[in-house]
Coordinates of all heavy atoms in Angstrom, one line a residue:
V1 N 84.2 144.7 152.4 CA 84.5 146.1 152.1 C 85.4 146.2 150.9 O 86.4 145.4 150.8 CB 85.2 146.8 153.3 CG1 85.5 148.3 153.0 CG2 84.3 146.7 154.6
I2 N 85.2 147.2 150.0 CA 86.1 147.5 149.0 C 86.6 148.9 149.2 O 85.8 149.9 149.4 CB 85.5 147.5 147.6 CG1 85.1 146.0 147.2 CG2 86.4 148.0 146.5 CD1 84.3 145.9 145.9
D3 N 87.9 149.1 149.3 CA 88.5 150.4 149.5 C 89.1 150.9 148.2 O 90.1 150.3 147.7 CB 89.6 150.2 150.6 CG 90.3 151.5 150.9 OD1 89.9 152.6 150.5 OD2 91.3 151.5 151.7
I4 N 88.6 152.0 147.6 CA 89.0 152.5 146.3 C 90.1 153.6 146.5 O 89.8 154.5 147.3 CB 87.9 153.0 145.5 CG1 86.8 151.9 145.2 CG2 88.4 153.6 144.2 CD1 85.6 152.4 144.5
G5 N 91.2 153.4 145.9 CA 92.3 154.4 146.0 C 93.0 154.3 147.4 O 93.0 155.2 148.2
I6 N 93.6 153.1 147.7 CA 94.0 152.8 149.0 C 95.3 153.6 149.4 O 95.6 153.8 150.6 CB 94.3 151.3 149.3 CG1 95.5 150.8 148.4 CG2 93.0 150.5 149.0 CD1 95.8 149.4 148.7
G7 N 96.1 154.1 148.4 CA 97.3 154.8 148.8 C 98.2 154.1 149.7 O 98.6 152.9 149.4
H8 N 98.6 154.7 150.8 CA 99.5 154.0 151.7 C 98.9 152.8 152.4 O 99.6 151.9 152.8 CB 100.0 155.1 152.7 CG 101.1 154.6 153.6 ND1 102.3 154.2 153.1 CD2 101.2 154.4 155.0 CE1 103.1 153.9 154.1 NE2 102.4 153.9 155.2
G9 N 97.5 152.8 152.6 CA 96.9 151.7 153.2 C 96.3 151.9 154.6 O 95.8 151.0 155.2
K10 N 96.4 153.2 155.0 CA 95.9 153.5 156.4 C 94.5 153.1 156.6 O 94.1 152.5 157.7 CB 96.0 155.1 156.6 CG 95.4 155.6 157.8 CD 95.5 157.1 157.9 CE 94.8 157.8 156.7 NZ 95.1 159.2 156.6
N11 N 93.6 153.4 155.7 CA 92.2 153.1 155.9 C 91.9 151.6 156.0 O 91.1 151.1 156.8 CB 91.3 153.7 154.8 CG 91.2 155.2 154.9 OD1 91.2 155.8 155.9 ND2 91.2 155.8 153.7
G12 N 92.7 150.8 155.3 CA 92.6 149.4 155.4 C 93.0 148.9 156.8 O 92.3 148.0 157.4
V13 N 94.1 149.5 157.4 CA 94.5 149.1 158.7 C 93.4 149.5 159.7 O 93.1 148.7 160.6 CB 95.8 149.8 159.1 CG1 96.2 149.6 160.5 CG2 96.9 149.3 158.2
L14 N 92.8 150.6 159.6 CA 91.7 151.1 160.5 C 90.5 150.2 160.4 O 89.8 150.0 161.3 CB 91.4 152.5 160.3 CG 92.6 153.5 160.7 CD1 92.2 154.9 160.4 CD2 92.9 153.4 162.2
V15 N 90.1 149.8 159.1 CA 89.0 148.9 159.0 C 89.3 147.6 159.7 O 88.4 147.1 160.4 CB 88.8 148.6 157.5 CG1 87.9 147.4 157.3 CG2 88.2 149.8 156.7
R16 N 90.5 147.1 159.6 CA 90.8 145.9 160.4 C 90.7 146.1 161.9 O 90.2 145.3 162.6 CB 92.2 145.4 160.0 CG 92.4 144.8 158.7 CD 91.6 143.4 158.7 NE 91.7 142.9 157.3 CZ 90.9 142.0 156.8 NH1 89.8 141.7 157.5 NH2 91.0 141.5 155.6
E17 N 91.2 147.2 162.3 CA 91.2 147.5 163.8 C 89.8 147.6 164.3 O 89.5 147.0 165.4 CB 92.0 148.8 164.1 CG 92.0 149.1 165.5 CD 93.0 150.3 165.9 OE1 93.7 150.7 165.0 OE2 93.0 150.7 167.0
Y18 N 89.0 148.3 163.6 CA 87.6 148.6 164.2 C 86.6 147.5 163.9 O 85.6 147.4 164.6 CB 87.1 149.9 163.7 CG 88.0 151.1 164.2 CD1 88.5 152.0 163.4 CD2 88.3 151.2 165.6 CE1 89.3 153.0 163.9 CE2 89.1 152.2 166.1 CZ 89.6 153.1 165.2 OH 90.4 154.1 165.7
L19 N 86.8 146.7 162.9 CA 85.9 145.6 162.5 C 86.3 144.2 162.9 O 85.5 143.4 163.2 CB 85.6 145.7 161.0 CG 84.9 146.9 160.5 CD1 84.6 146.8 159.0 CD2 83.6 147.3 161.3
D20 N 87.6 144.0 163.0 CA 88.1 142.7 163.4 C 88.7 142.7 164.8 O 88.3 142.0 165.7 CB 89.1 142.1 162.4 CG 88.4 141.3 161.3 OD1 87.5 140.5 161.6 OD2 88.8 141.4 160.1
I21 N 89.8 143.5 164.9 CA 90.5 143.5 166.2 C 89.7 144.0 167.4 O 89.8 143.4 168.5 CB 91.8 144.4 166.0 CG1 92.7 143.7 165.0 CG2 92.5 144.5 167.4 CD1 93.9 144.5 164.6
M22 N 88.8 145.0 167.2 CA 88.0 145.4 168.2 C 87.0 144.4 168.6 O 86.4 144.4 169.7 CB 87.3 146.7 167.8 CG 86.5 147.4 169.0 SD 85.9 149.1 168.5 CE 87.4 150.0 168.8
S23 N 86.7 143.4 167.7 CA 85.8 142.3 168.1 C 86.6 141.1 168.6 O 86.2 139.9 168.4 CB 85.0 141.9 166.8 OG 84.2 143.0 166.4
L24 N 87.8 141.3 169.0 CA 88.7 140.3 169.7 C 89.2 139.3 168.7 O 89.6 138.2 169.1 CB 88.0 139.6 170.8 CG 87.4 140.6 171.9 CD1 86.7 139.8 173.0 CD2 88.5 141.4 172.5
R25 N 89.3 139.7 167.4 CA 90.0 138.8 166.4 C 91.3 139.5 166.1 O 91.5 140.1 165.0 CB 89.1 138.7 165.2 CG 87.8 138.0 165.5 CD 87.0 137.7 164.2 NE 86.5 139.0 163.6 CZ 85.3 139.6 163.9 NH1 84.5 139.0 164.8 NH2 85.0 140.7 163.3
Y26 N 92.3 139.3 167.0 CA 93.6 140.0 166.8 C 94.5 139.2 165.8 O 95.2 139.9 165.0 CB 94.3 140.1 168.1 CG 95.6 141.0 168.0 CD1 95.4 142.4 168.0 CD2 96.8 140.4 167.9 CE1 96.5 143.2 167.9 CE2 98.0 141.2 167.8 CZ 97.8 142.6 167.8 OH 98.9 143.4 167.7
A27 N 94.5 137.9 165.8 CA 95.3 137.1 164.9 C 94.7 137.2 163.5 O 93.5 137.1 163.3 CB 95.4 135.7 165.4
K28 N 95.6 137.3 162.6 CA 95.2 137.5 161.2 C 94.4 136.2 160.7 O 93.4 136.4 159.9 CB 96.4 137.7 160.3 CG 96.1 138.1 158.9 CD 97.3 138.6 158.1 CE 97.0 139.1 156.7 NZ 98.2 139.6 156.0
K29 N 94.7 135.1 161.2 CA 94.0 133.9 160.9 C 92.5 133.9 161.3 O 91.7 133.1 160.8 CB 94.7 132.6 161.4 CG 94.7 132.6 162.9 CD 95.5 131.3 163.4 CE 95.5 131.3 164.9 NZ 94.2 131.2 165.6
D30 N 92.2 134.7 162.3 CA 90.9 134.8 162.8 C 90.0 135.9 162.2 O 88.8 136.0 162.5 CB 90.9 135.1 164.4 CG 91.5 133.9 165.1 OD1 91.4 132.8 164.7 OD2 92.2 134.2 166.1
W31 N 90.6 136.7 161.3 CA 89.8 137.8 160.7 C 88.7 137.3 159.9 O 88.9 136.3 159.1 CB 90.7 138.7 159.9 CG 91.8 139.5 160.7 CD1 91.8 139.6 162.0 CD2 92.9 140.2 160.1 NE1 92.9 140.4 162.4 CE2 93.5 140.8 161.2 CE3 93.4 140.4 158.9 CZ2 94.7 141.6 161.1 CZ3 94.5 141.2 158.7 CH2 95.1 141.8 159.8
I32 N 87.6 137.9 159.9 CA 86.4 137.5 159.1 C 86.0 138.5 158.1 O 85.2 138.2 157.2 CB 85.2 137.1 160.0 CG1 84.7 138.3 160.7 CG2 85.6 136.0 161.0 CD1 83.4 138.0 161.5
I33 N 86.4 139.8 158.2 CA 86.0 140.8 157.3 C 86.8 140.6 156.0 O 88.0 140.5 155.9 CB 86.3 142.2 157.8 CG1 85.7 142.4 159.2 CG2 85.9 143.3 156.9 CD1 84.2 142.1 159.2
K34 N 86.1 140.6 154.8 CA 86.7 140.5 153.5 C 87.0 141.9 153.1 O 86.1 142.8 152.9 CB 85.8 139.8 152.5 CG 86.5 139.6 151.2 CD 85.6 138.9 150.2 CE 86.3 138.7 148.9 NZ 85.5 137.9 147.9
L35 N 88.3 142.3 152.9 CA 88.7 143.6 152.6 C 89.5 143.6 151.3 O 90.6 143.0 151.3 CB 89.5 144.2 153.7 CG 90.1 145.6 153.6 CD1 89.0 146.6 153.2 CD2 90.9 146.0 154.8
I36 N 89.0 144.2 150.3 CA 89.7 144.3 149.0 C 90.1 145.8 148.7 O 89.3 146.7 148.9 CB 88.9 143.8 147.8 CG1 88.6 142.3 148.1 CG2 89.5 143.9 146.5 CD1 87.6 141.7 147.1
G37 N 91.3 146.0 148.3 CA 91.8 147.3 148.0 C 92.0 147.5 146.5 O 92.4 146.5 145.8
I38 N 91.7 148.7 146.0 CA 92.0 149.0 144.6 C 92.9 150.2 144.5 O 92.6 151.2 145.2 CB 90.7 149.3 143.8 CG1 89.7 148.1 143.8 CG2 91.0 149.8 142.4 CD1 88.4 148.4 143.2
E39 N 94.0 150.2 143.8 CA 94.9 151.3 143.7 C 95.5 151.3 142.3 O 95.8 150.3 141.7 CB 96.1 151.1 144.7 CG 97.2 152.1 144.6 CD 96.7 153.5 144.7 OE1 96.0 153.9 145.7 OE2 97.0 154.3 143.8
G40 N 95.5 152.5 141.7 CA 96.0 152.7 140.4 C 97.5 152.8 140.2 O 98.0 152.7 139.1
F41 N 98.2 153.0 141.3 CA 99.7 153.3 141.3 C 100.5 152.2 142.0 O 100.4 152.2 143.3 CB 99.9 154.7 141.8 CG 101.3 155.2 141.6 CD1 101.9 155.3 140.4 CD2 102.0 155.6 142.7 CE1 103.2 155.8 140.2 CE2 103.3 156.1 142.6 CZ 103.9 156.2 141.3
E42 N 101.2 151.4 141.3 CA 102.0 150.4 141.9 C 103.1 150.9 142.9 O 103.5 150.3 143.8 CB 102.7 149.5 140.8 CG 103.6 148.5 141.3 CD 103.0 147.3 142.1 OE1 101.8 147.0 141.8 OE2 103.6 146.8 142.9
G43 N 103.5 152.1 142.6 CA 104.6 152.7 143.4 C 104.2 152.9 144.9 O 105.1 153.2 145.7
Y44 N 102.9 152.8 145.2 CA 102.5 153.0 146.6 C 102.6 151.7 147.4 O 102.3 151.7 148.6 CB 101.1 153.6 146.7 CG 101.0 155.0 146.3 CD1 99.8 155.6 145.9 CD2 102.1 155.9 146.3 CE1 99.7 156.9 145.5 CE2 102.0 157.2 145.9 CZ 100.8 157.7 145.5 OH 100.7 159.0 145.1
R45 N 102.9 150.6 146.7 CA 102.9 149.3 147.4 C 103.8 149.3 148.6 O 105.0 149.8 148.5 CB 103.3 148.2 146.4 CG 103.2 146.8 147.1 CD 103.6 145.7 146.1 NE 102.6 145.6 145.0 CZ 101.4 144.9 145.1 NH1 101.2 144.2 146.3 NH2 100.6 144.8 144.1
N46 N 103.4 148.8 149.7 CA 104.2 148.7 150.9 C 103.6 147.6 151.8 O 102.6 147.0 151.5 CB 104.2 150.1 151.7 CG 102.8 150.4 152.3 OD1 102.5 150.0 153.4 ND2 102.0 151.1 151.5
P47 N 104.3 147.3 152.9 CA 103.9 146.1 153.7 C 102.4 146.2 154.3 O 101.8 145.2 154.6 CB 104.9 146.1 154.9 CG 106.1 146.6 154.3 CD 105.6 147.7 153.4

């Protein structure tokens, strides 16, 4: 998945929840979905 204009990052978190965590891959080391974000504004960077 590529997420264009990620802003705060909410959609990325929900992609992880519904595609990885809902499939019982809770630990980050077990995630299999490749998720790339694109954002034009560095000021929105957060954890």
Side-chain angles (χ1 to χ4, degrees):
V1 180
I2 294 174
D3 181 6
I4 299 177
I6 67 175
H8 189 60
K10 168 183 63 188
N11 290 326
V13 173
L14 292 175
V15 165
R16 283 296 176 205
E17 179 170 351
Y18 295 127
L19 296 183
D20 268 319
I21 294 172
M22 190 170 278
S23 297
L24 304 181
R25 297 185 291 270
Y26 190 78
K28 194 169 183 176
K29 64 180 178 61
D30 296 327
W31 292 350
I32 65 171
I33 306 303
K34 184 177 183 180
L35 177 58
I36 298 175
I38 299 173
E39 174 55 52
F41 187 58
E42 175 67 31
Y44 291 157
R45 183 177 294 276
N46 71 84

